[in-house]
Amino acid sequence: NAGVTQTPKFQVLKTGQSMTLQCAQDMNHNSMYWYRQDPGMGLRLIYYSASEGTTDKGEVPDGYNVSRLKKQNFLLGLESAAPSQTSVYFCASSTGVLYGYTFGSGTRLTVV
Amino acid sequence: AQSVTQLDSQVPVFEEAPVELRCNYSSSVSVYLFWYVQYPNQGLQLLLKYLSGSTLVKGINGFEAEFNKSQTSFHLRKPSVHISDTAEYFCAVSARTQGGSEKLVFGKGTKLTVNP
């Protein structure tokens, strides 16, 4: 099915380890987003990309980096994982905000 | 800056009862408004959206929402809920980023639990 694919679905990291969360969309959307979801906090925007090759910080960018080298891929990196980064991470894409977002199924990350 | 307040964090109801999930937004400009649903261990799915025109918007699964500009509200309603409606519901408003592009700002969510 067409949509947004996130890998991995689950990940456990030790404090200080690094990893990259992958997001791919096959809908030719220009915009892509990374959110984190924490209990009682809703979804908070980490980074977004309005087009291939461009990225901007959202509300909670500290401790993360992103890459949008190809239009269909948006990567979220954790350079040195911390327990505070334990969360569920969602990637989304859009062709324009009035069309809404298409979300991936999420990556559940635990940092111990 | 645009923001969204979902007034109830949890709403328990009995099956076949009506439900209203409340959402208020703050914005000084025209906005687009959305409701998303998240079933357990899944991503978010679009329920409905308001862009312009009729203030009553119908969505999937029998849900509808009413845009009220004077009250800055966009409440979600369903006349008769089913067990399968148990999920978390998020209200969202469009906003401009500092870079000039657009994004959605989400509320903190309302957990709807439908009991038999």
Side-chain angles (χ1 to χ4, degrees), chain A residues 4 18 23 25 27 34 39 50-51 64 73 78 92-93 95 104 107:
Chain A
V4 178
S18 63
C23 177
Q25 53 97 0
M27 297 168 287
W34 276 107
S51 61
Y64 304 95
N73 299 122
L78 286 74
S93 71
T95 194
T107 295

mmCIF file of all heavy atoms in Angstrom, chain A residues 4 18 23 25 27 34 39 50-51 64 73 78 92-93 95 104 107:
data_model
loop_
_atom_site.group_PDB
_atom_site.id
_atom_site.type_symbol
_atom_site.label_atom_id
_atom_site.label_comp_id
_atom_site.label_asym_id
_atom_site.label_seq_id
_atom_site.Cartn_x
_atom_site.Cartn_y
_atom_site.Cartn_z
ATOM 1 N N VAL A 4 3.474 6.008 4.136
ATOM 2 C CA VAL A 4 4.696 6.358 4.836
ATOM 3 C C VAL A 4 5.173 5.132 5.614
ATOM 4 O O VAL A 4 4.402 4.560 6.396
ATOM 5 C CB VAL A 4 4.456 7.531 5.802
ATOM 6 C CG1 VAL A 4 5.729 7.845 6.568
ATOM 7 C CG2 VAL A 4 3.965 8.750 5.039
ATOM 8 N N SER A 18 24.180 5.792 19.356
ATOM 9 C CA SER A 18 23.575 6.589 18.281
ATOM 10 C C SER A 18 22.754 5.681 17.378
ATOM 11 O O SER A 18 22.977 4.466 17.343
ATOM 12 C CB SER A 18 24.657 7.287 17.469
ATOM 13 O OG SER A 18 25.480 6.332 16.825
ATOM 14 N N CYS A 23 12.521 7.015 7.439
ATOM 15 C CA CYS A 23 11.167 7.292 6.993
ATOM 16 C C CYS A 23 11.176 7.405 5.477
ATOM 17 O O CYS A 23 12.004 8.147 4.920
ATOM 18 C CB CYS A 23 10.650 8.586 7.612
ATOM 19 S SG CYS A 23 9.008 9.063 7.036
ATOM 20 N N GLN A 25 8.465 7.784 1.982
ATOM 21 C CA GLN A 25 7.112 7.963 1.459
ATOM 22 C C GLN A 25 7.135 7.818 -0.052
ATOM 23 O O GLN A 25 8.088 8.233 -0.706
ATOM 24 C CB GLN A 25 6.536 9.322 1.884
ATOM 25 C CG GLN A 25 7.395 10.534 1.558
ATOM 26 C CD GLN A 25 7.017 11.260 0.285
ATOM 27 O OE1 GLN A 25 6.085 10.888 -0.420
ATOM 28 N NE2 GLN A 25 7.759 12.337 -0.016
ATOM 29 N N MET A 27 4.488 8.893 -2.089
ATOM 30 C CA MET A 27 3.372 9.691 -2.598
ATOM 31 C C MET A 27 3.849 10.983 -3.267
ATOM 32 O O MET A 27 3.029 11.842 -3.602
ATOM 33 C CB MET A 27 2.424 10.013 -1.433
ATOM 34 C CG MET A 27 1.817 8.766 -0.831
ATOM 35 S SD MET A 27 0.985 9.079 0.735
ATOM 36 C CE MET A 27 2.385 9.327 1.801
ATOM 37 N N TRP A 34 8.949 15.078 11.416
ATOM 38 C CA TRP A 34 9.191 14.137 12.502
ATOM 39 C C TRP A 34 8.566 14.688 13.777
ATOM 40 O O TRP A 34 8.839 15.829 14.173
ATOM 41 C CB TRP A 34 10.683 13.916 12.746
ATOM 42 C CG TRP A 34 11.303 12.899 11.857
ATOM 43 C CD1 TRP A 34 12.149 13.099 10.815
ATOM 44 C CD2 TRP A 34 11.139 11.476 11.960
ATOM 45 N NE1 TRP A 34 12.507 11.907 10.244
ATOM 46 C CE2 TRP A 34 11.914 10.892 10.931
ATOM 47 C CE3 TRP A 34 10.433 10.636 12.820
ATOM 48 C CZ2 TRP A 34 11.993 9.514 10.722
ATOM 49 C CZ3 TRP A 34 10.507 9.272 12.622
ATOM 50 C CH2 TRP A 34 11.271 8.720 11.584
ATOM 51 N N PRO A 39 3.230 10.490 26.614
ATOM 52 C CA PRO A 39 1.946 10.493 27.337
ATOM 53 C C PRO A 39 1.604 11.881 27.890
ATOM 54 O O PRO A 39 2.422 12.513 28.557
ATOM 55 C CB PRO A 39 2.188 9.485 28.462
ATOM 56 C CG PRO A 39 3.237 8.569 27.932
ATOM 57 C CD PRO A 39 4.140 9.433 27.100
ATOM 58 N N ALA A 50 10.454 21.177 4.222
ATOM 59 C CA ALA A 50 9.460 21.673 3.264
ATOM 60 C C ALA A 50 9.730 21.166 1.848
ATOM 61 O O ALA A 50 8.836 21.171 1.000
ATOM 62 C CB ALA A 50 9.425 23.194 3.287
ATOM 63 N N SER A 51 10.965 20.770 1.593
ATOM 64 C CA SER A 51 11.305 20.256 0.255
ATOM 65 C C SER A 51 12.630 19.508 0.349
ATOM 66 O O SER A 51 13.374 19.644 1.338
ATOM 67 C CB SER A 51 11.413 21.399 -0.751
ATOM 68 O OG SER A 51 12.417 22.301 -0.374
ATOM 69 N N TYR A 64 18.749 15.934 18.401
ATOM 70 C CA TYR A 64 18.405 15.264 17.150
ATOM 71 C C TYR A 64 19.053 15.975 15.972
ATOM 72 O O TYR A 64 19.368 17.157 16.036
ATOM 73 C CB TYR A 64 16.895 15.260 16.933
ATOM 74 C CG TYR A 64 16.079 14.659 18.043
ATOM 75 C CD1 TYR A 64 15.525 15.476 19.031
ATOM 76 C CD2 TYR A 64 15.858 13.295 18.110
ATOM 77 C CE1 TYR A 64 14.768 14.938 20.058
ATOM 78 C CE2 TYR A 64 15.090 12.747 19.131
ATOM 79 C CZ TYR A 64 14.558 13.577 20.105
ATOM 80 O OH TYR A 64 13.797 13.041 21.117
ATOM 81 N N ASN A 73 12.804 10.359 1.236
ATOM 82 C CA ASN A 73 13.354 9.894 2.507
ATOM 83 C C ASN A 73 13.629 11.044 3.470
ATOM 84 O O ASN A 73 14.166 12.091 3.066
ATOM 85 C CB ASN A 73 14.661 9.127 2.286
ATOM 86 C CG ASN A 73 14.475 7.896 1.436
ATOM 87 O OD1 ASN A 73 15.094 7.752 0.390
ATOM 88 N ND2 ASN A 73 13.614 7.009 1.890
ATOM 89 N N LEU A 78 19.851 10.297 16.187
ATOM 90 C CA LEU A 78 20.150 10.579 17.592
ATOM 91 C C LEU A 78 21.646 10.334 17.747
ATOM 92 O O LEU A 78 22.120 9.211 17.571
ATOM 93 C CB LEU A 78 19.383 9.654 18.530
ATOM 94 C CG LEU A 78 17.895 9.889 18.720
ATOM 95 C CD1 LEU A 78 17.096 9.436 17.497
ATOM 96 C CD2 LEU A 78 17.400 9.174 19.973
ATOM 97 N N ALA A 92 5.651 11.928 9.181
ATOM 98 C CA ALA A 92 4.471 12.268 8.389
ATOM 99 C C ALA A 92 4.907 12.982 7.125
ATOM 100 O O ALA A 92 5.995 13.574 7.075
ATOM 101 C CB ALA A 92 3.517 13.149 9.191
ATOM 102 N N SER A 93 4.068 12.914 6.122
ATOM 103 C CA SER A 93 4.353 13.649 4.893
ATOM 104 C C SER A 93 3.083 14.333 4.416
ATOM 105 O O SER A 93 1.966 13.965 4.809
ATOM 106 C CB SER A 93 4.911 12.720 3.810
ATOM 107 O OG SER A 93 3.901 11.849 3.330
ATOM 108 N N THR A 95 1.416 16.972 0.985
ATOM 109 C CA THR A 95 1.578 17.725 -0.251
ATOM 110 C C THR A 95 1.162 19.178 -0.043
ATOM 111 O O THR A 95 1.314 20.002 -0.940
ATOM 112 C CB THR A 95 0.770 17.065 -1.385
ATOM 113 O OG1 THR A 95 1.181 17.604 -2.636
ATOM 114 C CG2 THR A 95 -0.712 17.286 -1.204
ATOM 115 N N GLY A 104 3.193 7.673 9.329
ATOM 116 C CA GLY A 104 3.676 6.321 9.433
ATOM 117 C C GLY A 104 3.132 5.666 10.692
ATOM 118 O O GLY A 104 2.430 6.301 11.484
ATOM 119 N N THR A 107 7.765 4.528 15.428
ATOM 120 C CA THR A 107 8.910 3.780 15.965
ATOM 121 C C THR A 107 8.901 3.975 17.470
ATOM 122 O O THR A 107 8.961 5.103 17.951
ATOM 123 C CB THR A 107 10.239 4.296 15.396
ATOM 124 O OG1 THR A 107 10.291 4.046 13.994
ATOM 125 C CG2 THR A 107 11.414 3.611 16.085
#
